[in-house]
Amino acid sequence: MADSLFELLLSEQQESTSSPQDASSLLIPDSASTHYLSHLSTLSPSTLSSSEPQSLSQASQSLLLSLQALSTRSHRAIISSHDHLSTLRSSLPSLASEAILLHDAIPALDSAAIRFSHSYTTKEATHSLLDRRKKAMLLARNVDRLSDMLDLPSLLSTVISSSSNTTPNITGPSSSSQQPLGGPSSGTSGYSSALDLYLHIKRLHTQYPRSELVTSLLSEAEAAMQRMTANLITGLKAPGLKLAGAMRMIGWLRRVAPDLESDGSGGSSSSSSSSSSSSYSVVGNGGGGLGALFLACRLANLRSMLEALEPLRDLAEQESARKQGCGGGGGGGTAAKTSASADGAGAWSAGQHTERYLKRYIEIFREQSFAILSMYRSIFPSASINNDDNPPITKPSGATKSTAADPDPDPDPDPLLPLPSPVCTVPLHLVGMLTDVLRRHLPNVQDRASRESLLTQVLYCAGSLGRLGADFGLVLATLTLDRDAEADGQGSDRDLTDWAGVMRKHRALAGRLDQLANR
């Protein structure tokens, strides 16, 4: 039925149009028209004439409203789609031509890629650009490690600087006013960390000896360690140095400069305070160069402390000058000189300033000399061994080979060798310092009680050093205490009388102390 209606409509359309082709182009059967014609065939004539036109009008109106709403909502997208659709006709041919060009270029690209791969990936191929790229990539991967390595010298310098500020913490209560907020342990951990950093840099140089970067890091680290060595030597000269601090400093110096411990000449070259100079080096004696360095630093500290008594020494020198001016008349007998001395004693106050100076001098000397020798024996216990039982091995300082390896040894060895340990000469030097001061200033003290008090103080000093094997009590008996009385032959008798009285009192007091200790 739908086909008949469609043919009927087609014949009417052909009659109304001038060209049959136009009518066929307008009426093309499709599913929608076929469905609608089938629907019309089911309607009655009355329905077709009455309700169907209204339904079509309503449907047309509904479609119009839908189109208007759609155009309102999506007119921009519709316009844009239209514009793109208009350029699609020209874009498609251009795309096709470009695709053809790409297809033609693929063989050339493939051959170039194969040639590049063959040039830069084979083991035999070497290229400067490829090497630079490899180095750049290696640098980019290890930039953090290199940054950490470059920070090592500055970190080492910072640790040493901070530790040098805390070094006074290990020198005892006398430097407590200089202690920073970091506490006593900061200097110890700081120098230990600095030594660990230095050893790490040396390990890097051992692993990469040809690296210029590592070599420059090692040179900067060695300069920092030289500053650390100077700081440690300065710390050994600090006043109030205790045994624990001295042992730590010597331990650090052993790690920083191990050659000082084995070579006796190292200590002399490291410290300008050492007055000994010899063409031979002592190897194997107790302490070695470090022992000599320690003694030189502590002696320098003792001298600085004694030089702090310069105001009292000036007053004592003035008393000596006034005594010489009052009792220095030429000629005359003994009685005249004794009277002149008595008058001069009243003019120069009988040596009161000299007594104060000597008391303070002997007190500092006793404390520091005992501290020097006791700390040396504690730090270098091998130095206390008798040199006759364990003679040190000696060699010239400029020699580079051992004597045993020499096929023609020296038939006439030096009779002065082997040299003794440095600590063997220190007591003699200390006693010489004390005796020189006593010879110069003790004659100014005219009061017998004051003289006996000073001599007793000297005996206590000799006894304290005697505990370390350096008793010099008998040496004081040979002092010429009064140079003016010695000119008349009375100086030695007076010295012996004073010395004998002081020794008797000292022994009596020692006996009482022993009795009290044995009860």
Side-chain angles (χ1 to χ4, degrees):
M1 189 66 181
D3 295 335
S4 302
L5 290 175
F6 182 77
E7 292 177 357
L8 179 61
L9 291 175
L10 182 60
S11 61
E12 290 181 355
Q13 184 69 21
Q14 290 177 355
E15 292 177 356
S16 60
T17 56
S18 58
S19 175
Q21 296 180 354
D22 296 338
S24 61
S25 62
L26 293 175
L27 296 175
I28 298 174
D30 54 3
S31 59
S33 58
T34 304
H35 179 71
Y36 181 70
L37 291 177
S38 299
H39 172 67
L40 290 179
S41 62
T42 60
L43 298 178
S44 61
S46 59
T47 303
L48 291 173
S49 60
S50 59
S51 60
E52 187 62 23
Q54 295 179 358
S55 299
L56 292 175
S57 177
Q58 291 177 359
S60 176
Q61 187 66 25
S62 176
L63 291 175
L64 179 61
L65 293 176
S66 299
L67 289 174
Q68 290 178 352
L70 179 62
S71 62
T72 302
R73 290 193 310 269
S74 306
H75 66 283
R76 294 182 180 178
I78 293 173
I79 295 173
S80 178
S81 300
H82 181 269
D83 294 339
H84 287 87
L85 185 61
S86 61
T87 59
L88 186 61
R89 294 181 179 178
S90 59
S91 299
L92 289 177
S94 176
L95 178 63
S97 61
E98 294 293 337
I100 294 172
L101 293 176
L102 179 60
H103 181 270
D104 296 338
I106 285 177
L109 177 62
D110 183 64
S111 61
I114 293 174
R115 185 172 60 255
F116 179 84
S117 176
H118 179 73
S119 300
Y120 292 101
T121 58
T122 56
K123 295 182 179 180
E124 296 80 6
T126 55
H127 197 275
S128 60
L129 180 60
L130 185 60
D131 293 339
R132 289 197 299 270
R133 289 183 178 180
K134 288 181 179 179
K135 292 180 180 179
M137 292 177 64
L138 181 62
L139 179 62
R141 287 195 302 267
N142 298 277
V143 63
D144 295 334
R145 295 181 180 179
L146 292 176
S147 178
D148 294 339
M149 289 175 59
L150 292 174
D151 292 338
L152 286 177
S154 60
L155 180 60
L156 181 60
S157 300
T158 303
V159 171
I160 292 175
S161 300
S162 61
S163 301
S164 63
N165 296 330
T166 59
T167 300
N169 290 330
I170 60 178
T171 59
S174 61
S175 60
S176 59
S177 60
Q178 301 178 3
Q179 291 182 1
L181 299 176
S185 61
S186 55
T188 304
S189 61
Y191 280 135
S192 300
S193 301
L195 289 171
D196 293 338
L197 286 173
Y198 178 64
L199 291 178
H200 178 63
I201 295 175
K202 290 185 69 175
R203 282 194 297 268
L204 289 177
H205 185 262
T206 303
Q207 294 177 358
Y208 309 102
R210 298 182 180 180
S211 175
E212 297 180 358
L213 175 62
V214 178
T215 303
S216 63
L217 294 178
L218 181 61
S219 61
E220 294 180 10
E222 289 177 349
M225 296 312 292
Q226 290 180 0
R227 293 194 298 270
M228 177 178 169
T229 305
N231 294 338
L232 291 175
I233 295 175
T234 304
L236 289 177
K237 298 179 182 179
L241 181 66
K242 299 301 180 182
L243 177 60
M247 294 183 72
R248 283 195 292 266
M249 289 185 181
I250 293 298
W252 291 328
L253 284 173
R254 282 193 177 106
R255 296 177 62 183
V256 175
D259 53 333
L260 290 180
E261 189 175 11
S262 60
D263 190 354
S265 63
S268 302
S269 62
S270 299
S271 175
S272 60
S273 305
S274 178
S275 59
S276 62
S277 60
S278 175
S279 61
Y280 290 90
S281 300
V282 181
V283 180
N285 58 353
L290 283 179
L293 175 63
F294 174 79
L295 293 174
C297 292
R298 297 317 298 164
L299 287 176
N301 172 65
L302 175 60
R303 289 184 178 276
S304 64
M305 295 183 68
L306 295 178
E307 288 174 358
L309 302 176
E310 185 175 358
L312 293 177
R313 185 183 61 187
D314 293 340
L315 294 176
E317 293 289 347
Q318 293 176 8
E319 287 184 346
S320 299
R322 286 198 297 270
K323 178 187 175 184
Q324 293 176 0
C326 294
T334 303
K337 286 189 176 182
T338 304
S339 176
S341 299
D343 296 339
W348 44 268
S349 303
Q352 295 179 359
H353 296 296
T354 304
E355 180 186 359
R356 292 173 55 194
Y357 169 66
L358 290 178
K359 281 185 176 181
R360 185 58 181 157
Y361 187 96
I362 296 171
E363 179 183 358
I364 294 176
F365 179 86
R366 178 177 59 83
E367 294 177 355
Q368 297 300 320
S369 60
F370 181 80
I372 290 172
L373 296 179
S374 62
M375 281 195 295
Y376 185 89
R377 293 185 63 177
S378 300
I379 298 173
F380 308 101
S382 61
S384 60
I385 301 176
N386 193 349
N387 291 330
D388 295 336
D389 299 334
N390 297 277
I393 302 172
T394 60
K395 66 177 183 179
S397 60
T400 57
K401 296 183 180 179
S402 61
T403 308
D406 192 355
D408 187 12
D410 189 3
D412 298 327
D414 193 340
L416 298 178
L417 295 178
L419 297 178
S421 174
V423 75
C424 296
T425 59
V426 172
L428 297 177
H429 178 70
L430 293 174
V431 173
M433 292 172 54
L434 181 60
T435 53
D436 290 342
V437 173
L438 292 177
R439 285 193 183 97
R440 182 176 181 84
H441 296 289
L442 191 57
N444 297 340
V445 182
Q446 297 296 316
D447 185 56
R448 185 180 183 86
S450 299
R451 291 166 63 89
E452 291 181 356
S453 175
L454 291 174
L455 292 175
T456 303
Q457 192 175 359
V458 174
L459 282 177
Y460 283 137
C461 179
S464 64
L465 291 182
R467 295 164 56 189
L468 302 174
D471 190 357
F472 60 94
L474 297 178
V475 178
L476 300 178
T478 62
L479 292 176
T480 302
L481 302 178
D482 194 347
R483 289 171 294 179
D484 295 336
E486 187 184 11
D488 295 330
Q490 299 177 356
S492 58
D493 295 337
R494 180 180 177 182
D495 297 343
L496 292 175
T497 302
D498 292 345
W499 185 253
V502 171
M503 287 295 294
R504 282 194 296 269
K505 292 181 181 180
H506 184 71
R507 288 180 179 179
L509 181 59
R512 293 191 192 122
L513 293 176
D514 290 338
Q515 292 177 1
L516 293 174
N518 294 329
R519 287 181 182 178

